[in-house]
Amino acid sequence: MSAVVTTSCPDLELIARGKVRDLYRVDANSLLFVATDRISAFDVIMNNGITNKGKLLTEISIFWFSFLKDVLPNHLITANFDEMPDKVKQYRGQLEGRSMLVKSLRVLPIESIVRGYITGSAWSEYKKKGTVCDIALPTGMQESEAFPEPLWTPSTKAEIGDHDENIHPSKAAAIIGEKHAAEMEKISIELYTKARDYAKEHGIIIADTKFEFGVDENDTLYLIDEVLTPDSSRFWPASSYKVGAGQDSFDKQYLRNYLDSIGFDKSTGITLPEDVVSKTMTKYQEAYKLLTGKEPQI
């Protein structure tokens, strides 16, 4: 079986192809989110995909949508392919297991990032300036240390090929309005905290994650897109966690590390070696099994 790196559904209106997802309009009220097997790193899409990654990401998102629905409603209508409209079902071979029928909402153009631990670009900035997204932090923090409280560090949503830009939380209000910015910050930290506590009990530290939100015609906020997947989060094994160094991970940090090791130019996609593809998928499967207690159905 080969990776599904792009979908072709002529009877559905293609709205967009993102770094991982293909998005189709089904009717006036609903969209189809399709998780392909594309993988990106440093905002660059690689030439080859990871077979069945999209199906696994979909299963993880469905798990978290259910777990977090008491904190905030989400956009999921169904992921059961037998419940999809007929014009979607005709593409069963391409789409089954990797598709979610979702409410059509107005997307708020902010990536809502919550950081529980200092790592990655946050650690790099802190070493230089003692801040993260220009938020002042206590002196003397060590790499991978937990923040005193989770930080909300939003970023702008970039077009494909561009890079998301981290911004100070105060700047989010200028983009989406004060009401939505305040609500997004509060809800994002609530979502992260509930997921963090659950994951820690199941052997995973969620170091940071990215949420996305949309609003309906009544201005009601919904959780949308993917949720707490290895593509949108840093997952660390709790068993080997140690402050003061980088961590092993269940996410695409393995891929990023490989790309750094070969001097990747962070602008042009490459074809990944088979062992890198295989090891990346294995890490995603390990995360799914720890979180859900189940074997992936792929």
Side-chain angles (χ1 to χ4, degrees):
M1 183 183 296
S2 58
V4 175
V5 293
T6 190
T7 58
S8 177
C9 306
D11 290 345
L12 299 176
E13 179 192 353
L14 178 66
I15 296 176
R17 293 194 199 277
K19 296 187 191 90
V20 173
R21 276 162 192 75
D22 290 351
L23 180 61
Y24 294 92
R25 178 162 295 286
V26 176
D27 56 37
N29 300 311
S30 62
L31 304 172
L32 193 72
F33 268 53
V34 183
T36 71
D37 295 331
R38 295 192 292 269
I39 190 161
S40 69
F42 305 112
D43 293 319
V44 179
I45 300 169
M46 300 297 112
N47 293 343
N48 53 334
I50 296 180
T51 301
N52 286 330
K53 179 179 81 82
K55 292 184 177 182
L56 192 62
L57 293 187
T58 300
E59 286 197 34
I60 293 173
S61 284
I62 291 165
F63 168 79
W64 286 117
F65 277 137
S66 176
F67 182 78
L68 297 169
K69 65 181 184 293
D70 293 340
V71 179
L72 188 73
N74 60 69
H75 69 162
L76 181 62
I77 298 171
T78 186
N80 183 337
F81 208 78
D82 291 331
E83 296 174 357
M84 301 277 182
D86 287 341
K87 64 181 179 179
V88 173
K89 286 182 187 174
Q90 66 179 312
Y91 302 114
R92 185 182 291 268
Q94 289 183 69
L95 304 181
E96 188 170 21
R98 60 176 72 248
S99 302
M100 297 187 297
L101 188 69
V102 302
K103 295 181 177 72
S104 181
L105 301 167
R106 179 169 67 87
V107 176
L108 297 177
I110 286 287
E111 308 228 310
S112 188
I113 297 166
V114 182
R115 302 177 189 271
Y117 296 74
I118 190 162
T119 186
S121 62
W123 174 239
S124 298
E125 180 185 332
Y126 178 79
K127 285 189 293 182
K128 291 175 186 171
K129 303 196 299 181
T131 60
V132 171
C133 294
D134 294 327
I135 300 167
L137 291 169
T139 57
M141 290 194 73
Q142 299 181 68
E143 184 176 6
S144 304
E145 186 177 350
F147 292 113
E149 297 291 337
L151 288 185
W152 185 59
T153 61
S155 76
T156 58
K157 284 174 65 71
E159 297 297 322
I160 292 181
D162 292 334
H163 295 282
D164 300 335
E165 179 189 352
N166 293 331
I167 57 174
H168 188 277
S170 63
K171 295 181 179 176
I175 298 171
I176 60 172
E178 288 185 15
K179 172 184 175 289
H180 288 316
E183 192 175 17
M184 187 184 285
E185 178 175 11
K186 176 177 179 292
I187 289 292
S188 295
I189 289 176
E190 287 179 21
L191 291 166
Y192 170 79
T193 302
K194 184 173 182 180
R196 175 202 64 191
D197 293 349
Y198 170 87
K200 202 164 186 179
E201 291 173 0
H202 291 77
I204 289 180
I205 290 172
I206 303 176
D208 51 40
T209 195
K210 175 196 75 176
F211 299 113
E212 297 201 36
F213 297 93
V215 292
D216 64 12
E217 65 277 7
N218 299 314
D219 226 25
T220 301
L221 197 68
Y222 286 81
L223 183 60
I224 66 168
D225 201 66
E226 65 178 332
V227 184
L228 291 152
T229 71
D231 268 16
S232 65
S233 317
R234 280 190 176 90
F235 289 167
W236 296 339
S239 59
S240 61
Y241 170 66
K242 186 178 180 182
V243 173
Q247 308 296 310
D248 291 334
S249 70
F250 291 119
D251 54 59
K252 61 183 179 183
Q253 190 60 44
Y254 173 82
L255 171 59
R256 295 188 197 100
N257 292 345
Y258 165 75
L259 293 171
D260 279 338
S261 76
I262 64 168
F264 177 59
D265 66 8
K266 301 186 181 179
S267 64
T268 308
I270 65 166
T271 299
L272 301 170
E274 187 53 44
D275 66 312
V276 174
V277 168
S278 176
K279 286 177 182 174
T280 301
M281 186 61 176
T282 297
K283 287 180 176 292
Y284 281 35
Q285 290 170 325
E286 288 172 355
Y288 177 85
K289 189 173 179 180
L290 281 172
L291 288 171
T292 67
K294 299 185 295 185
E295 293 288 346
Q297 299 301 302
I298 55 174

